[in-house]
C-alpha cells in the first residue's frame, strides 16, 4: 500500500478529530490523555526528539551486547518465573519471546471493549517509551499503529493476577504485533497477519526480551483504572446535581448546603459537592412550615459525594504514577550499564486504588437509590403523586409510574454494594510459589468498572425519576421554579425521555440515558489534570 493510501486509511480508521494526537515519549501522560485515546478522540504520536529515539535503541543494543558477552539475563536467556533457573541455549534465545506470547494465550471471560483495549495499548506504549525495557523503536511504532489504525487485539478480561503483571491479557497485544490471533479492524474480526499485510506492514519478529517487555507490566489494570477515574468523576458531579433536583422535587431545604457548614469541616471534596448543589439551588428560599431537617440522603449528600470526590485526588496520583512508570522486569539501565531485576510489575497501588474507588462509587449508588425511594413514595415526597405517576385522574387507579424502575434500581444498587469486597486481599500463591504474593489489581479494576456500570444505571433511573418529580412539583406547588442549570438539565433529559404520563416501558430510555452518562454527555465533570499537559517527564 502506498504511503498516501496509508495516510487516507489512517484518517478513515480513526474516530476522533483528524490530526488530534497525544505525544508519547516527551512528557508525562494524564488520565485524560488515555481517555482521549480510548474514546477515539485522539491518536498517538511518538516523540520526534532524535536523542530520545537513540536512547530507546541503545537499550535494545545494550541488551544484545550483554548476551554476546555471555551474561545471564532473566527472561532473555533463562526460562520464565520459577523456570528462571533454566538456562536457554543460545540457539533458542530468539525463539523464546514468541513462546511466551503463545503459552499465555489462555484468557477467558468477556472481551475488553474497544475503549478499554485502546486504553490498555496506550498504557503499555507509554511505559515502554520510558526507555528502560530494552525494546527497539520499531516495537513502539507498531504499538502506535495499533492505536492510529484502530487495530484492536481481542483481549479476554480474565486471567491476570496482577503480578507478574498482566501477562495473559497482554499476550493478546503481543500476538497481534507478531501477526497471530484475531483482531478487530474496520468493524470486522480478522486474522492479525492479514491486517498487517493490507497495511503494507511486516509483522514483528520479537527481539530478546520484547515479548516479556510487552506482557510483564501493569497496562491492563492501569488502562482500565484511567477509564474508571473519568467515569467516577462524572458520577460525583451528577450525584450532586440530582441531589439539588431532588431537593426541589421534595420541596426540601437549601440551607443544608450553606457554605459555613462545610467551612467548619474542611474536607475539600465535601465542600466542592456542597458548592455544586448551592450553585444549582441559587436563589432558592426556604419557606416556613417546611420540615426542619431533610432526611440524611438529602442533607448529608455532600458528605457522601465528598468521599468519592476526595478519593479522586489520591487515585489520580497513584494511577498517573503507574501510567508514567517503567513497570516490567528486568529493567535496562543503559547509562549505568546495568540490568536490574525487581518487581515493578506488581500492581498493588492500582489494586488498592480501585478497591477504594469502587466502595466510594457504590456509596453513590446507595445515595441515589435512597433519594429515589424518597421521591417516589407518597408517604415521604411531600404531596407528589404515588410512584410519580403522571397519568390523568381517570387512569390513575391503574397507573404505577416509576414503581418498577425503583425496584430495578434497588437491584442494581444491591449488586454494586455486593461487589465492594476488596480484590487485593485475595492474593494467591501461583506459578510454583514463585509468584507467591500477587496484587489482583486487574480484578480490582474490572470490579470497579462493573460497580461504576451499575451505578450509572442507578443514576439513569434516578435522573428520569427526579426530572419527572421536578416537573410534577412545578405543577402542584405554586411559586416553585428551577434555576437555569437545573432547567437546562431537565430539558436535556426530557429530550431523551419525555414526561411519563400513561405508563410505558422505560428500558430504551434508561439505556439511552445510561450510555449518555457513561460517555460524559449528560454532565461535564472531569477534574483538571494535576499538571499541565506540557509538563516534562520526570
Amino acid at each position: 500500500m502506498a504511503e498516501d493510501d496509508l495516510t487516507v486509511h489512517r484518517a478513515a480508521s480513526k474516530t476522533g478529530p483528524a490530526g488530534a494526537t497525544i505525544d508519547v515519549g516527551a512528557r508525562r501522560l494524564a488520565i485524560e490523555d488515555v481517555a482521549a485515546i480510548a474514546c477515539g478522540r485522539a491518536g498517538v504520536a511518538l516523540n520526534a526528539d532524535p536523542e530520545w529515539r537513540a536512547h530507546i535503541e541503545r537499550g535494545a543494543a545494550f541488551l544484545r551486547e550483554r548476551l554476546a558477552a555471555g551474561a545471564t539475563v532473566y527472561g532473555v536467556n533463562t526460562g520464565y518465573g520459577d523456570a528462571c533457573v533454566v538456562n536457554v541455549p543460545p540457539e533458542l534465545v530468539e525463539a523464546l519471546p514468541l513462546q511466551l506470547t503463545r503459552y499465555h494465550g489462555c484468557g477467558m471471560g468477556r472481551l475488553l471493549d474497544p475503549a478499554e483495549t485502546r486504553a490498555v495499548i496506550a498504557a503499555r506504549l507509554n511505559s515502554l517509551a520510558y526507555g528502560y525495557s530494552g525494546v527497539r523503536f520499531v516495537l513502539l511504532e507498531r504499538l502506535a499503529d495499533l492505536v492510529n489504525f484502530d487495530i484492536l487485539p481481542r483481549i479476554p478480561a480474565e486471567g491476570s493476577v496482577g503480578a507478574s503483571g498482566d501477562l495473559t491479557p497482554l499476550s493478546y497485544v503481543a500476538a497481534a504485533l507478531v501477526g497471530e490471533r484475531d483482531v478487530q479492524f474496520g468493524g470486522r474480526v480478522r486474522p492479525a497477519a492479514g491486517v498487517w499485510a493490507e497495511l503494507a506492514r511486516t509483522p514483528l519478529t520479537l527481539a530478546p526480551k520484547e515479548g516479556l517487555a510487552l506482557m510483564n507490566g501493569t497496562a491492563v489494570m492501569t488502562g482500565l483504572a484511567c477509564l474508571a477515574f473519568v467515569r467516577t468523576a462524572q458520577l460525583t458531579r451528577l450525584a450532586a446535581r440530582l441531589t439539588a433536583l431532588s431537593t426541589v422535587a421534595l420541596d426540601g431545604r437549601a440551607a443544608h448546603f450553606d457554605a459555613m457548614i462545610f467551612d467548619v469541616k474542611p474536607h475539600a471534596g465535601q465542600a466542592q459537592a456542597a458548592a455544586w448543589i448551592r450553585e444549582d439551588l441559587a436563589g432558592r428560599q426556604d419557606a416556613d412550615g417546611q420540615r426542619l431537617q431533610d432526611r440524611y440522603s438529602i442533607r448529608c449528600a455532600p458528605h457522601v459525594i465528598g468521599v468519592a470526590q476526595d478519593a479522586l485526588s489520591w487515585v489520580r496520583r497513584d494511577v498517573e504514577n503507574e501510567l508514567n512508570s517503567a513497570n516490567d522486569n528486568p529493567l535496562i539501565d543503559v547509562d549505568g550499564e546495568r540490568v536490574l531485576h525487581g518487581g515493578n510489575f506488581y500492581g498493588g497501588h492500582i489494586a488498592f486504588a480501585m478497591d477504594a474507588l469502587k466502595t466510594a462509587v457504590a456509596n453513590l449508588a446507595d445515595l441515589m437509590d435512597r433519594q429515589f425511594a424518597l421521591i417516589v413514595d407518597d408517604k415521604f415526597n411531600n404531596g407528589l403523586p404515588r410512584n410519580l405517576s403522571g397519568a390523568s385522574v381517570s387512569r390513575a387507579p391503574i397507573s404505577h409510574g416509576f414503581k418498577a424502575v425503583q425496584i430495578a434500581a434497588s437491584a442494581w444498587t444491591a449488586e454494586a454494594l455486593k461487589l465492594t469486597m476488596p480484590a487485593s486481599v485475595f492474593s494467591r500463591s501461583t506459578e510454583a510459589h514463585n509468584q507467591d504474593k500477587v496484587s489482583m489489581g486487574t480484578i480490582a479494576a474490572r470490579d470497579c468498572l462493573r460497580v461504576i456500570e451499575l451505578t450509572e444505571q442507578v443514576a439513569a433511573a434516578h435522573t428520569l425519576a427526579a426530572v419527572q418529580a421536578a416537573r410534577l412539583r412545578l405543577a402542584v406547588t405554586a411559586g416553585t421554579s428551577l434555576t437555569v442549570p437545573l432547567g437546562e438539565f431537565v430539558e436535556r433529559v426530557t429530550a431523551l425521555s419525555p414526561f411519563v404520563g400513561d405508563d410505558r416501558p422505560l428500558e430504551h430510555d434508561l439505556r439511552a440515558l445510561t450510555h449518555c452518562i457513561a460517555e460524559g454527555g449528560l454532565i461535564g465533570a472531569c477534574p483538571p489534570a494535576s499538571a499541565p499537559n506540557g509538563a516534562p517527564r520526570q
Side-chain angles (χ1 to χ4, degrees):
M1 185 179 288
E3 185 60 35
D4 287 347
D5 293 334
L6 283 173
T7 302
V8 171
H9 193 109
R10 181 183 289 110
S13 69
K14 291 183 60 57
T15 55
T21 57
I22 302 296
D23 291 334
V24 173
R27 60 178 177 82
R28 285 173 61 90
L29 294 191
I31 285 171
E32 288 77 10
D33 294 325
V34 174
I37 294 167
C39 296
R41 297 194 304 270
V44 297
L46 298 176
N47 184 8
D49 181 6
E51 291 187 12
W52 172 75
R53 297 190 176 204
H55 179 77
I56 297 294
E57 292 292 0
R58 283 172 56 209
F62 173 71
L63 190 58
R64 286 202 176 273
E65 291 167 5
R66 287 295 299 265
L67 293 177
T72 299
V73 180
Y74 167 74
V76 178
N77 55 4
T78 74
Y80 298 113
D82 183 61
C84 65
V85 297
V86 176
N87 292 321
V88 175
E91 65 272 16
L92 294 179
V93 166
E94 299 290 338
L96 185 62
L98 189 58
Q99 290 291 108
L100 178 68
T101 71
R102 285 175 172 168
Y103 78 79
H104 270 287
C106 58
M108 293 290 284
R110 72 172 180 89
L111 298 176
L112 298 187
D113 68 28
E116 291 167 340
T117 303
R118 296 185 197 106
V120 167
I121 297 167
R124 196 76 220 114
L125 173 59
N126 195 54
S127 178
L128 297 179
Y130 271 84
Y132 292 95
S133 301
V135 302
R136 298 164 297 161
F137 184 73
V138 67
L139 185 142
L140 304 186
E141 289 182 310
R142 288 294 182 272
L143 283 170
D145 282 341
L146 293 182
V147 173
N148 292 332
F149 288 105
D150 213 29
I151 306 165
L152 302 182
R154 290 163 58 78
I155 305 174
E158 298 170 11
S160 173
V161 294
S164 175
D166 290 314
L167 291 166
T168 288
L170 286 175
S171 78
Y172 290 80
V173 176
L177 296 183
V178 301
E180 295 191 356
R181 304 183 205 168
D182 290 336
V183 296
Q184 182 174 312
F185 179 71
R188 294 189 293 126
V189 175
R190 298 178 51 187
V195 172
W196 290 121
E198 181 176 321
L199 298 177
R201 298 285 199 266
T202 302
L204 279 182
T205 298
L206 295 174
K209 193 181 178 291
E210 287 186 341
L212 191 59
L214 282 164
M215 294 165 51
N216 182 232
T218 58
V220 176
M221 67 181 82
T222 302
L224 298 184
C226 289
L227 301 183
F229 179 97
V230 171
R231 290 166 70 179
T232 298
Q234 293 162 184
L235 280 169
T236 59
R237 182 64 186 92
L238 179 57
R241 173 144 293 171
L242 291 175
T243 297
L245 197 59
S246 296
T247 299
V248 173
L250 292 166
D251 202 20
R253 287 184 169 271
H256 294 320
F257 312 109
D258 188 285
M260 178 172 283
I261 296 173
F262 303 93
D263 288 342
V264 298
K265 188 177 182 182
H267 294 295
Q270 179 178 285
Q272 177 64 77
W276 284 332
I277 297 168
R278 279 199 308 278
E279 291 167 9
D280 283 345
L281 294 175
R284 180 177 174 81
Q285 299 297 316
D286 295 342
D288 294 336
Q290 284 178 303
R291 180 184 166 97
L292 185 61
Q293 295 187 147
D294 290 330
R295 290 171 173 82
Y296 283 15
S297 63
I298 300 297
R299 184 175 13 133
C300 299
H303 307 74
V304 178
I305 300 166
V307 173
Q309 184 66 19
D310 277 327
L312 288 172
S313 63
W314 66 264
V315 168
R316 175 187 287 281
R317 178 201 68 197
D318 287 358
V319 171
E320 289 187 346
N321 279 341
E322 193 73 36
L323 174 65
N324 293 284
S325 71
N327 49 62
D328 57 308
N329 173 60
L331 297 177
I332 309 301
D333 175 13
V334 178
D335 295 331
E337 297 186 343
R338 298 182 297 167
V339 177
L340 301 172
H341 294 86
N344 278 9
F345 49 70
Y346 192 87
H349 280 82
I350 297 293
F352 186 74
M354 293 296 97
D355 277 346
L357 195 63
K358 72 184 181 185
T359 299
V361 171
N363 269 293
L364 296 181
D366 195 41
L367 176 75
M368 291 185 284
D369 179 57
R370 293 301 82 215
Q371 292 179 353
F372 189 174
L374 287 179
I375 63 177
V376 81
D377 192 331
D378 63 339
K379 295 186 295 297
F380 303 104
N381 65 17
N382 200 14
L384 297 182
R386 180 185 293 115
N387 298 312
L388 304 179
S389 173
S392 63
V393 174
S394 63
R395 299 281 292 177
I398 62 169
S399 296
H400 293 78
F402 282 78
K403 178 190 285 287
V405 178
Q406 195 272 324
I407 295 170
S410 185
W412 302 327
T413 301
E415 187 173 348
L417 296 170
K418 177 180 72 70
L419 290 173
T420 56
M421 175 71 74
S424 56
V425 299
F426 284 92
S427 175
R428 312 294 299 155
S429 184
T430 68
E431 205 260 307
H433 299 294
N434 176 60
Q435 300 174 8
D436 59 347
K437 174 59 178 168
V438 294
S439 76
M440 300 300 182
T442 308
I443 296 173
R446 289 195 291 106
D447 280 352
C448 187
L449 283 172
R450 176 58 179 156
V451 169
I452 289 169
E453 180 181 45
L454 289 161
T455 303
E456 288 165 346
Q457 292 174 192
V458 175
H462 184 23
T463 297
L464 293 184
V467 166
Q468 176 94 352
R471 295 182 68 175
L472 290 168
R473 176 62 64 192
L474 292 173
V476 303
T477 304
T480 302
S481 62
L482 297 176
T483 60
V484 171
L486 290 184
E488 291 177 346
F489 182 77
V490 166
E491 291 306 312
R492 196 176 312 136
V493 174
T494 301
L496 291 171
S497 177
F499 181 80
V500 180
D502 209 9
D503 289 350
R504 70 172 191 267
L506 289 172
E507 177 190 347
H508 295 300
D509 306 60
L510 287 164
R511 288 188 183 277
L513 193 55
T514 299
H515 177 76
C516 189
I517 291 168
E519 295 293 315
L522 188 61
I523 191 166
C526 292
S530 55
N533 279 348
R537 302 180 80 128
Q538 301 297 318

